[in-house]
Each structure stands twice: as C-alpha cells, then as structure tokens.
Amino acid sequence: TSYLELITTYKALLGEKRNEVSTLEKRYRSGLEQIYEAEEQVGVMKKELIELQPVLEKTSKETDEMLIVIDKETITANAKKEVVEKDAAAADVSAAAAKAIKDDCEGELAVAMPMLEAALQALNTLTKNDITEVKSMKSPPSGVKLVMEAVCIMKGLKAA
C-alpha cells in the first residue's frame, strides 16, 4: 500500500508540476508574442521616422528662416517703436503747449465775456431817439463814430 500511495502522490505531484510548467510555458509564449509585436511596431515606427526625417529637416529649415525673418521684423518694429515714441513725446509737448494756449485764451475770454455782456446790455438800452440824434449829426465826434462802428460789428451790419 505504501508503494501505491507513493505512486499516487507521484502522479499528483507530476500533474501539479505539469500545470505549473504549462502555465509558465504559456506566459513565456505570450511574452515572446508581445516582444515580437513590439519589435514589429518598432520597425514600423523606424520606417515612419525615416520617412518623416526629410519633412522634419524641411520644417526645421523653415523654422530657422522664420526666426531670421522675425528677428529682422523685430528690429524694424523696434526702430518704428522708437520713432513713434519720439513722435508721441513731441505730440505730448505740442498738446501741453496747446493746453497752455487754451487755458490762456479761456482766461482772457473769462475777462472779456463780462465786458461783452455789459456792452450788449448797454446796447439794449439804446432808443430810437438816440440813433436819430446821432444820424442828425453831420460829423459826429470820433468817440461816437468808434462806438457806432463797434455796434455795427456786433449787430453784423456794414459800417457806413
């Protein structure tokens, strides 16, 4: 019986080892297949890389040319920028001068406007008799002539 048990145990152990070896063999074959597939893919990628090499070189050359053009345009743009900045500075100076003139004119206008308003109010106080009196003078005094010319200018009439 002990011999039969030994044979039975041997058969069971042999079956387990065969299963282990079979599993290992399957893993080995699967790994080999994956390696072969990867090798094929690497070969395809190498071909694609070789085919794309001229395109890469062309693109690299175009990029270098574009960089040269961009450098030249940058230099031109910087020169134009300097000119524009100088023009802007000159325009700022002119604007400041114009503002000073404007402020001066507004100041003078502020002084002259009350005088104009007073003159217009005084003009409104003239009556027909005042004008008839001036008309009746053959040669009015120079002050009256000056005032009448100013009135004509203000009223938009032609001085006689």
Side-chain angles (χ1 to χ4, degrees):
T1 61
S2 130
Y3 182 69
L4 288 174
E5 285 177 11
L6 181 67
I7 290 177
T8 306
T9 305
Y10 178 75
K11 279 180 151 182
L13 186 60
L14 183 63
E16 285 178 21
K17 290 296 179 184
R18 280 187 180 165
N19 283 339
E20 286 178 22
V21 170
S22 175
T23 303
L24 290 174
E25 180 184 9
K26 285 180 186 175
R27 287 179 61 198
Y28 176 76
R29 289 187 189 275
S30 173
L32 278 176
E33 286 177 14
Q34 289 177 355
I35 289 173
Y36 289 138
E37 286 176 13
E39 187 177 0
E40 286 177 18
Q41 290 176 355
V42 168
V44 169
M45 288 180 195
K46 278 185 182 179
K47 286 180 184 177
E48 289 176 355
L49 185 61
I50 290 170
E51 290 172 0
L52 290 176
Q53 189 66 29
V55 174
L56 177 64
E57 290 174 2
K58 179 184 173 190
T59 306
S60 177
K61 190 180 214 181
E62 289 174 354
T63 303
D64 291 340
E65 291 171 358
M66 285 175 59
L67 284 174
I68 291 170
V69 169
I70 289 172
D71 287 341
K72 288 179 182 177
E73 289 178 355
T74 301
I75 291 170
T76 305
N78 287 338
K80 287 182 181 179
K81 179 182 173 187
E82 290 176 9
V83 170
V84 167
E85 287 175 350
K86 288 178 183 176
D87 289 347
D92 288 343
V93 169
S94 297
K99 185 177 183 324
I101 292 171
K102 177 187 168 207
D103 292 342
D104 188 39
C105 289
E106 285 177 351
E108 290 178 13
L109 183 63
V111 170
M113 283 306 286
M115 288 185 217
L116 177 65
E117 295 292 329
L120 286 174
Q121 286 178 356
L123 187 62
N124 288 335
T125 62
L126 287 178
T127 63
K128 188 172 184 176
N129 292 333
D130 295 335
I131 293 174
T132 307
E133 182 182 338
V134 170
K135 277 185 179 181
S136 67
M137 293 183 195
K138 286 195 172 190
S139 90
S142 64
V144 172
K145 278 186 180 180
L146 180 64
V147 169
M148 292 309 292
E149 287 176 3
V151 168
C152 288
I153 290 172
M154 291 170 77
K155 291 286 188 173
L157 302 173
K158 184 176 178 184

